[in-house]
């Protein structure tokens, strides 16, 4: 066996030690690299999981916030609802108070109250339809036949008193006539005021329609008879027009045919304007209830206000209807055409006219009336 030099052995030992050290360093480096990779991978995975968890948390929180909008504002919504209800109640109360105040003002300013009208009719128990027809016939002969449709109150009274004496003797006259005088004097004063406002002098003559409506206050009859005589009073104007204005350019046969058609179309039915004038006359003579005369104004803010309607407005509301489901339907088939006796009765009994309080009386038949 060959013996080695001690120097060579030392060199060989050192070389082996260096190689061994290099291998250890290599393995240590590989292990450290693996640990670093594992740590990096673990950190990335942890970060991804954390991001996912944060996103889920944010979405859940957003859902929770969205679902709590109503609950978070429940108090505000409740208070707002209460406030709206209170405002509506206040507006309704103000509107009702406005209507009641106007009605009380009308009742206070009325020339006659219902009890006075009832006393007037009871005091004139002998003033029936027979006497009325005699008075109307005399007026036709004395005024209408000459084409006169208006007269002064003294002229009218002279005819009334004369006919009443002729029918039932000297002692027969209109009892409590001062009530009629009050109505007529007030109407003359109103016309004078309107004439002064327009710069014209008011006339003392009154229409025959108004005078007969005033006289009907004293007529002691059923409501049906009262409506009929008022309707006939409106037709007197048709008789005056047909008798005072014949067509001169037509032949005799054409005039006869024209007069027949005119009598059928005009004399049998009252026109729209005649009915409106009669409703106005009944309103002026305190024969309509105050509630029926109240109509709405165009002022609805902050609350609804009211005013007294005219005869034309009351008639139109009765014929056409108003207010939808909460109002009243029309009582005539044609809202603008001629008016029959049945239509006139329906208008007077409607809620928008309510003559003598007839709208408060329930009847099974449209033409049936109360006897008061």
């Amino acid at each position: 066996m060959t013996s080695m030099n001690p120097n060579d052995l030392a060199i060989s030992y050192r070389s082996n030690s260096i190689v061994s050290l290099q291998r250890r360093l290599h393995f240590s480096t590989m292990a450290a690299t693996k640990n670093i990779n594992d740590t990096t991978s673990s950190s990335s995975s942890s970060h991804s999981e954390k991001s996912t968890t944060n996103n889920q948390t944010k979405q859940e929180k957003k859902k929770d916030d969205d679902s709590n909008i109503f609950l978070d504002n429940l108090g505000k919504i409740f208070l707002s609802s209460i406030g709206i209800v209170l405002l509506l109640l206040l507006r309704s109360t103000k509107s009702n108070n406005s209507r009641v105040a106007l009605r009380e003002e009308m009742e206070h300013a009325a020339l006659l109250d219902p009890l006075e009208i009832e006393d007037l009719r009871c005091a004139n128990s002998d003033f029936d339809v027979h006497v009325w027809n005699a008075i109307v016939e005399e007026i036709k002969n004395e005024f209408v036949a000459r084409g006169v449709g208006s007269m002064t109150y003294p002229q009218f009274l002279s005819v009334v008193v004369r006919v009443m004496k002729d029918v039932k003797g000297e002692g027969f006259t209109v009892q409590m006539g001062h009530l009629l005088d009050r109505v007529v004097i007030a109407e003359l004063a109103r016309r004078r005021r309107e004439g002064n406002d327009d710069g014209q002098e008011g006339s003392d003559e009154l229409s025959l329609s108004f005078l007969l409506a005033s006289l009907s206050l004293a007529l002691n009859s059923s409501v049906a008879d009262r409506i009929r005589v008022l309707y006939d009073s409106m037709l007197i104007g048709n008789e005056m027009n047909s008798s005072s204005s014949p067509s001169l350019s037509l032949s005799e046969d054409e005039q006869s045919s024209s007069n027949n058609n005119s009598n059928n179309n005009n004399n049998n039915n009252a026109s729209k304007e005649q009915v409106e004038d009669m409703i106005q006359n009944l309103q002026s003579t305190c024969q309509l209830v105050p509630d029926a005369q109240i109509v709405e104004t165009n002022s609805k803010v902050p609350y609804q206000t009211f005013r007294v309607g005219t005869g034309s407005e009351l008639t139109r509301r009765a014929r056409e209807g108003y207010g939808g489901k909460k109002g009243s339907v029309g009582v005539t088939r044609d809202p603008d055409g001629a008016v029959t006796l049945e239509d006139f009765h329906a208008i007077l009994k409607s809620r928008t006219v309510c003559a003598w309080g007839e709208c408060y009386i329930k009847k099974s038949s449209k033409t049936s009336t109360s006897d008061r």
Side-chain angles (χ1 to χ4, degrees), residues 55-114:
N55 291 334
Q56 292 178 352
T57 303
K58 290 180 180 180
Q59 291 178 357
E60 292 177 357
K61 185 177 180 181
K62 185 177 180 181
K63 290 181 180 179
D64 292 340
D65 291 342
D66 292 341
S67 62
N68 290 333
I69 291 177
F70 177 78
L71 295 177
D72 291 342
N73 297 279
L74 184 60
K76 296 179 180 178
I77 295 174
F78 178 75
L79 291 177
S80 299
S81 302
I82 295 297
I84 292 174
V85 172
L86 291 177
L87 286 176
L88 292 177
L89 290 176
L90 178 61
R91 185 177 185 274
S92 177
T93 302
K94 283 285 188 179
S95 298
N96 291 335
N97 290 342
S98 175
R99 185 183 183 94
V100 170
L102 179 58
R103 184 186 64 198
E104 292 177 351
E105 181 182 351
M106 294 172 62
E107 293 174 349
H108 179 72
L111 300 171
L112 300 175
D113 62 50

Side-chain angles (χ1 to χ4, degrees), residues 87-318:
L87 286 176
L88 292 177
L89 290 176
L90 178 61
R91 185 177 185 274
S92 177
T93 302
K94 283 285 188 179
S95 298
N96 291 335
N97 290 342
S98 175
R99 185 183 183 94
V100 170
L102 179 58
R103 184 186 64 198
E104 292 177 351
E105 181 182 351
M106 294 172 62
E107 293 174 349
H108 179 72
L111 300 171
L112 300 175
D113 62 50
L115 293 179
E116 287 180 317
I117 296 176
E118 188 69 21
D119 292 341
L120 178 61
R121 289 172 182 162
C122 292
N124 292 275
S125 57
D126 292 333
F127 184 24
D128 53 16
V129 176
H130 173 68
V131 179
W132 174 279
N133 291 334
I135 293 173
V136 171
E137 193 64 29
E138 184 65 21
I139 290 175
K140 288 181 180 179
N141 296 332
E142 189 167 339
F143 295 98
V144 178
R146 296 187 290 110
V148 178
S150 61
M151 63 198 73
T152 63
Y153 184 52
Q155 290 175 331
F156 177 77
L157 278 183
S158 65
V159 175
V160 171
V161 172
R162 184 174 70 248
V163 172
M164 294 180 75
K165 290 181 179 180
D166 294 341
V167 172
K168 293 189 176 182
E170 289 291 332
F172 184 51
T173 185
V174 178
Q175 303 297 324
M176 299 180 68
H178 63 279
L179 298 179
L180 298 182
D181 297 341
R182 187 192 303 171
V183 172
V184 175
I185 292 172
E187 178 66 15
L188 289 172
R190 183 188 67 81
R191 296 193 178 194
R192 290 193 183 99
R193 287 195 303 270
E194 292 181 353
N196 294 332
D197 294 339
D198 296 337
Q200 300 176 357
E201 185 178 355
S203 175
D204 290 337
E205 291 189 349
L206 297 169
S207 66
L208 181 58
S209 175
F210 174 81
L211 292 172
L212 290 174
S214 301
L215 185 61
S216 69
L217 286 167
L219 180 63
N220 194 336
S221 68
S222 66
V223 174
D225 289 337
R226 194 177 306 127
I227 292 175
R228 182 182 58 79
V229 297
L230 289 175
Y231 187 81
D232 292 339
S233 300
M234 293 188 294
L235 300 183
I236 293 177
N238 294 339
E239 298 178 8
M240 182 177 62
N241 293 333
S242 62
S243 63
S244 62
S245 58
S247 178
L248 300 177
S249 61
L250 299 178
S251 62
E252 293 182 358
D253 293 339
E254 290 174 336
Q255 283 187 15
S256 176
S257 177
S258 177
N259 289 335
N260 290 335
N261 293 334
S262 176
N263 290 334
N264 291 333
N265 296 332
N266 296 326
N267 293 350
N268 292 335
N269 296 327
S271 66
K272 171 186 174 182
E273 291 75 15
Q274 288 172 328
V275 174
E276 291 176 352
D277 290 342
M278 180 56 71
I279 299 300
Q280 183 66 53
N281 294 334
L282 293 176
Q283 183 181 19
S284 300
T285 55
C286 306
Q287 300 189 58
L288 305 183
V289 298
D291 271 333
Q293 304 175 48
I294 299 176
V295 300
E296 301 83 359
T297 65
N298 294 326
S299 177
K300 301 180 183 297
V301 178
Y303 58 89
Q304 179 68 65
T305 57
F306 301 89
R307 62 179 176 82
V308 180
T310 63
S312 176
E313 291 173 332
L314 300 181
T315 305
R316 184 174 64 254
R317 284 160 63 92

Side-chain angles (χ1 to χ4, degrees), residues 317-333:
R317 284 160 63 92
R319 301 187 69 180
E320 298 178 358
Y322 76 100
K325 294 182 180 179
K326 295 183 179 180
S328 176
V329 298
V331 297
T332 59
R333 295 180 180 178

Side-chain angles (χ1 to χ4, degrees), residues 345-357:
H345 183 278
I347 291 173
L348 293 182
K349 195 176 180 181
S350 66
R351 289 171 52 190
T352 60
V353 176
C354 198
W356 317 298

